[in-house]
Amino acid sequence: MTTPDTATPRNPASPPGLPRARGPLSESVLAVLAGDGTPLPGAVAIRRSAPYGDDLHLLLYVLYELHYRGFAGVDERLEWNPALLGVRAAAEGVFLDALRRDGGSGGKDVAEAVDALQLEPVGDDGHSVSHHLQREGELWQLREYAAVRSLYHLKEADPHLWVVPRLRGRAKAAMVAVEFDEFGAGRAEDVHAQLFANLMTDLGLDARYGRYLDTAPAQALATVNMMSLFGLHRLLRGALVGHFATVEITSPPGSRRLAQALRRAGAGPAAQRFYDEHVEADAVHEQVVRHEVIGGLLEDEPGLAADVVLGIEATGHLENLLGDHLLAAWREGRSALRTPLGQP
C-alpha cells in the first residue's frame, strides 16, 4: 500500500538525512558516518561486490555526496577522512573496471563517437525511455522517472564543474559558457536544478534534495556516481568531457519527447518548461561542446582521445542499463522503484 508523497517540513538549504543501507558494505560505511565506530569494509569484500549492484553504488553515492551537500548530522571533516577515501578508492576500482570492460570499446576516434551520438535512431531502439513515455507513458511513470532523475537534476551541472580547473584556453572558456546557462545565466529562478524542482512540485513530488535516494534503483545511482567518479579524478578529465558531450548532444530530441509526454499526460506548465528549456538550450550547447570543449581539449592534450570515447560509451552503457530496468517494470505494469510513490 502506498502513502501520499507529502513532505516533512525542512529548510530547503539543509542537507538530507542518511539513507537506509542496501547491504553489508553500505551498512558499515553508513554506521561510520553516523558516528558509531563500526569497522569499515575491507578491500577484498569490496572487490567481490557486484559492480552495478545496490550495495556498492549506495556506498559510492554517500561517499561522493560528502563532496556536495553532505548529510544531516554527519561530521563535515569526514569528507577527507583517509580511511573513507581508501574504501571509496577500492569501490571506484570495481566500478571503473566494469565501465572499461562493458562500456568502452578502447577506441580513440572521438569524431566517430560524437557522430554516432548525433544519429537519432529511427523509432524506438528498445532502450529509449523517452520514446516509451512520449508514445504511451502514463502519469505515474512520468512521476517515477522524475523521482529517479532527481538524484542528478537537483544538482544539475554540479559534477561537471570539477573539470573546469583542469582545462585551459578554448576548452575552459567554452565549458564555463555552457555551465553559465545551466546555472540560470545569473538568475536564481532559472537555474536548471530549480526548474527541475518546479517540475517535481508540478507532478506532486517532494522536491527536497536527496528525497528519493532510498527509492531509486542501483542503475540510477550508477549514472550519477559515474559523473562524480570522472569529475573528482583529474586523471579522468577526458572521460568527464566525453560524458558531458553525450548529455548535451543527446538532450534536445529526448527532451522534446519528454515535453510532449508531459503535455499528453496533462502535467502543468512548470513540468513542461524544464524539458522545453533543454530542447532550446542544448541544441546550441551541442555545437559548442563538440567544436570548442572537445576540440580545445584534444588540441591541448591529444592523448586524452581514448578517455573522451570512454566517457561517451560508458554513458550510453549506463543509460541503457537504467532504461532497460525502467521499461521492464513499466511494461509489466509495476513500479520500477524500490518503494512505489504515493499518490500526488
Side-chain angles (χ1 to χ4, degrees), residues 155-207:
K155 61 181 175 192
E156 182 169 339
D158 288 353
H160 302 123
L161 280 177
W162 298 113
V163 82
V164 171
R166 295 156 183 176
L167 302 175
R168 63 177 297 278
R170 286 169 55 205
K172 175 175 281 192
M175 188 76 188
V176 171
V178 174
E179 290 285 85
F180 181 64
D181 288 345
E182 301 286 343
F183 290 109
R187 296 181 294 275
E189 66 275 14
D190 291 335
V191 172
H192 285 188
Q194 181 58 53
L195 296 183
F196 196 80
N198 297 343
L199 173 148
M200 295 178 72
T201 301
D202 221 348
L203 292 175
L205 295 169
D206 185 343

Side-chain angles (χ1 to χ4, degrees), residues 85-209:
L85 291 176
V87 169
R88 197 189 84 188
E92 287 175 331
V94 173
F95 185 32
L96 185 57
D97 285 348
L99 290 179
R100 292 191 186 280
R101 180 189 70 234
D102 303 331
S105 66
K108 298 181 180 181
D109 192 333
V110 175
E112 181 181 23
V114 173
D115 285 343
L117 293 176
Q118 294 180 308
L119 294 175
E120 177 71 1
V122 178
D124 187 352
D125 64 0
H127 298 289
S128 175
V129 173
S130 64
H131 276 96
H132 168 83
L133 292 174
Q134 177 196 37
R135 184 178 61 249
E136 57 187 287
E138 300 178 34
L139 184 59
W140 68 271
Q141 295 171 346
L142 286 160
R143 295 179 74 241
E144 288 200 348
Y145 186 70
V148 162
R149 289 302 194 186
S150 70
L151 299 186
Y152 167 64
H153 283 306
L154 290 181
K155 61 181 175 192
E156 182 169 339
D158 288 353
H160 302 123
L161 280 177
W162 298 113
V163 82
V164 171
R166 295 156 183 176
L167 302 175
R168 63 177 297 278
R170 286 169 55 205
K172 175 175 281 192
M175 188 76 188
V176 171
V178 174
E179 290 285 85
F180 181 64
D181 288 345
E182 301 286 343
F183 290 109
R187 296 181 294 275
E189 66 275 14
D190 291 335
V191 172
H192 285 188
Q194 181 58 53
L195 296 183
F196 196 80
N198 297 343
L199 173 148
M200 295 178 72
T201 301
D202 221 348
L203 292 175
L205 295 169
D206 185 343
R208 291 176 299 166
Y209 184 89

Side-chain angles (χ1 to χ4, degrees), residues 40 63 67 78-92:
L40 288 166
L63 292 179
H67 297 293
L78 291 175
E79 178 183 2
W80 298 107
N81 178 277
L84 289 173
L85 291 176
V87 169
R88 197 189 84 188
E92 287 175 331

Side-chain angles (χ1 to χ4, degrees), residues 2-319:
T2 58
T3 56
D5 202 39
T6 54
T8 301
R10 186 181 85 198
N11 184 337
S14 299
L18 286 169
R20 293 187 293 272
R22 301 190 186 186
L25 303 180
S26 55
E27 183 177 27
S28 296
V29 168
L30 288 167
V32 170
L33 295 181
D36 80 349
T38 300
L40 288 166
V44 173
I46 292 172
R47 285 197 296 269
R48 290 174 178 167
S49 61
Y52 305 120
D54 275 297
D55 200 17
L56 182 82
H57 279 282
L58 182 61
L59 178 156
L60 277 173
Y61 194 97
V62 296
L63 292 179
Y64 285 143
E65 194 58 35
L66 298 178
H67 297 293
Y68 295 99
R69 300 272 190 99
F71 295 97
V74 173
D75 188 340
E76 293 187 348
R77 291 172 295 184
L78 291 175
E79 178 183 2
W80 298 107
N81 178 277
L84 289 173
L85 291 176
V87 169
R88 197 189 84 188
E92 287 175 331
V94 173
F95 185 32
L96 185 57
D97 285 348
L99 290 179
R100 292 191 186 280
R101 180 189 70 234
D102 303 331
S105 66
K108 298 181 180 181
D109 192 333
V110 175
E112 181 181 23
V114 173
D115 285 343
L117 293 176
Q118 294 180 308
L119 294 175
E120 177 71 1
V122 178
D124 187 352
D125 64 0
H127 298 289
S128 175
V129 173
S130 64
H131 276 96
H132 168 83
L133 292 174
Q134 177 196 37
R135 184 178 61 249
E136 57 187 287
E138 300 178 34
L139 184 59
W140 68 271
Q141 295 171 346
L142 286 160
R143 295 179 74 241
E144 288 200 348
Y145 186 70
V148 162
R149 289 302 194 186
S150 70
L151 299 186
Y152 167 64
H153 283 306
L154 290 181
K155 61 181 175 192
E156 182 169 339
D158 288 353
H160 302 123
L161 280 177
W162 298 113
V163 82
V164 171
R166 295 156 183 176
L167 302 175
R168 63 177 297 278
R170 286 169 55 205
K172 175 175 281 192
M175 188 76 188
V176 171
V178 174
E179 290 285 85
F180 181 64
D181 288 345
E182 301 286 343
F183 290 109
R187 296 181 294 275
E189 66 275 14
D190 291 335
V191 172
H192 285 188
Q194 181 58 53
L195 296 183
F196 196 80
N198 297 343
L199 173 148
M200 295 178 72
T201 301
D202 221 348
L203 292 175
L205 295 169
D206 185 343
R208 291 176 299 166
Y209 184 89
R211 167 64 177 81
Y212 295 103
L213 175 54
D214 274 326
T215 202
Q219 295 87 346
L221 272 59
T223 64
V224 185
N225 285 340
M226 181 181 62
M227 301 181 210
S228 298
L229 169 64
F230 291 165
L232 287 167
H233 292 272
R234 183 177 180 275
L235 176 68
L236 297 170
R237 61 196 179 279
L240 186 65
V241 167
H243 163 75
F244 186 65
T246 306
V247 171
E248 296 299 320
I249 291 171
T250 61
S251 174
S255 293
R256 185 176 296 108
R257 288 190 289 270
L258 290 167
Q260 291 169 354
L262 287 163
R263 289 189 175 89
R264 186 176 56 76
Q272 297 170 29
R273 185 191 171 194
F274 176 81
Y275 288 110
D276 285 338
E277 172 77 11
H278 282 69
V279 171
E280 180 178 348
D282 291 348
V284 176
H285 293 169
E286 66 174 280
Q287 296 302 316
V288 176
V289 171
R290 174 167 189 162
H291 297 292
E292 300 302 319
V293 180
I294 293 180
L297 174 68
L298 295 182
E299 183 177 74
D300 287 340
E301 300 185 90
L304 294 181
D307 285 341
V308 175
V309 174
L310 170 66
I312 292 171
E313 295 181 343
T315 301
H317 172 62
L318 291 187
E319 287 296 325

